[in-house]
Amino acid sequence: METYVISEDNAGNECVVVYVDNVWNRTVRMLSDIDQLPSSVRYQLLTINQEARNDEFWEIKEVTQASINGTYYILCYLQDTPKLKNLVHTLVIDSKGTVAKACTYRLNNAEYVGTIPGDMEWITAHYKGSEVLGFVNDNGDDNYLIMHDGVLKSVYFKTSHKGTTWKETCYPLPKGTTVPSNVLESLHADYPDFTYTEISIVENPNGIVYLFTDGNRPDRLGHYVEAN
């Protein structure tokens, strides 16, 4: 059973405190402007988007979770580009200024989603020594943002009335790691004229898939190639 307590801090910011079975679970504080962000988070935001002070913000949220060490911030704002008006940007940044997630759509409300103990146990078992930087719900999937062996990884769990099931883990190709020759041969055979600038690894219950993306294209065209 979840209990929601809504209050205001000394600055007039609304806070939502959530208790699960009468035990504190999470707190979400709605900040009124980016100047209320910690300097490390604000610096990272303004580095990514120098015009942030002029943008319309839908969300500036500070989140703490019972099962996550530290605080993280969810920032959602509108920005014009040369080709698009009012493009949605969402950033998840931890208190040290690490960008844990970036996407061009709005995430589900942080007030209504909390970490699942079983998911945390799965992550601890499969990514030993990892640190959870943040947690969001992305289009219905629970998304844990972790740092594992110096690599930022995005771990997704599918949710249903029966519980949660690991869906996949995505992360950029770690430095010093080479792509198997059979994967590259398959890519060149199927897409001989394709040029890529980024390589990501996707782990799922069926194995490993490599994602090759052309980051120079506005649509970020990409192709998946199975490792098997």
Side-chain angles (χ1 to χ4, degrees):
M1 183 181 68
E2 292 192 338
T3 302
Y4 292 77
V5 178
I6 300 175
S7 62
E8 287 187 354
D9 63 13
N10 294 332
N13 298 312
E14 181 180 283
C15 295
V16 178
V17 184
V18 184
Y19 296 85
V20 177
D21 296 331
N22 296 321
V23 177
W24 175 78
N25 181 266
R26 58 192 182 272
T27 298
V28 180
R29 186 163 69 110
M30 291 66 169
L31 306 182
S32 59
D33 59 66
I34 65 173
D35 287 329
Q36 292 185 323
L37 293 167
S39 58
S40 57
V41 178
R42 187 170 60 253
Y43 174 81
Q44 187 63 262
L45 170 64
L46 292 173
T47 299
I48 295 172
N49 176 14
Q50 297 180 2
E51 301 299 321
R53 294 189 183 279
N54 300 320
D55 292 331
E56 176 186 349
F57 276 79
W58 281 352
E59 293 179 349
I60 307 175
K61 294 182 177 180
E62 177 187 85
V63 185
T64 53
Q65 296 260 5
S67 52
I68 297 177
N69 293 326
T71 303
Y72 58 100
Y73 298 81
I74 302 174
L75 314 172
C76 183
Y77 56 92
L78 301 178
Q79 186 181 42
D80 293 340
T81 69
K83 294 185 177 181
L84 296 172
K85 296 291 186 181
N86 294 326
L87 181 65
V88 177
H89 288 269
T90 299
L91 299 173
V92 181
I93 306 177
D94 80 346
S95 58
K96 297 178 183 177
T98 302
V99 178
K101 186 179 182 71
C103 56
T104 53
Y105 50 88
R106 194 171 188 174
L107 300 168
N108 289 334
N109 285 339
E111 301 94 290
Y112 302 111
V113 293
T115 57
I116 307 298
D119 295 347
M120 300 292 286
E121 293 171 2
W122 190 96
I123 290 171
T124 299
H126 288 79
Y127 301 106
K128 297 184 184 301
S130 63
E131 177 186 5
V132 181
L133 304 183
F135 166 82
V136 296
N137 186 274
D138 186 341
N139 290 317
D141 291 334
D142 285 344
N143 181 195
Y144 296 80
L145 308 166
I146 71 171
M147 187 67 72
H148 178 236
D149 291 340
V151 178
L152 183 63
K153 298 183 178 181
S154 209
V155 187
Y156 293 89
F157 289 83
K158 294 184 293 186
T159 60
S160 69
H161 66 281
K162 295 181 180 180
T164 60
T165 305
W166 175 63
K167 178 181 179 180
E168 64 183 22
T169 300
C170 309
Y171 51 95
L173 183 73
K175 292 182 179 179
T177 303
T178 58
V179 178
S181 57
N182 66 306
V183 172
L184 291 174
E185 291 170 1
S186 179
L187 174 71
H188 296 321
D190 293 339
Y191 311 100
D193 299 323
F194 180 67
T195 301
Y196 57 88
T197 62
E198 303 169 19
I199 306 174
S200 299
I201 296 176
V202 180
E203 302 173 1
N204 61 47
N206 296 320
I208 294 177
V209 178
Y210 288 83
L211 171 60
F212 299 84
T213 304
D214 184 353
N216 294 325
R217 288 177 53 126
D219 60 355
R220 292 183 56 80
L221 177 66
H223 296 295
Y224 291 91
V225 180
E226 294 183 357
N228 300 332

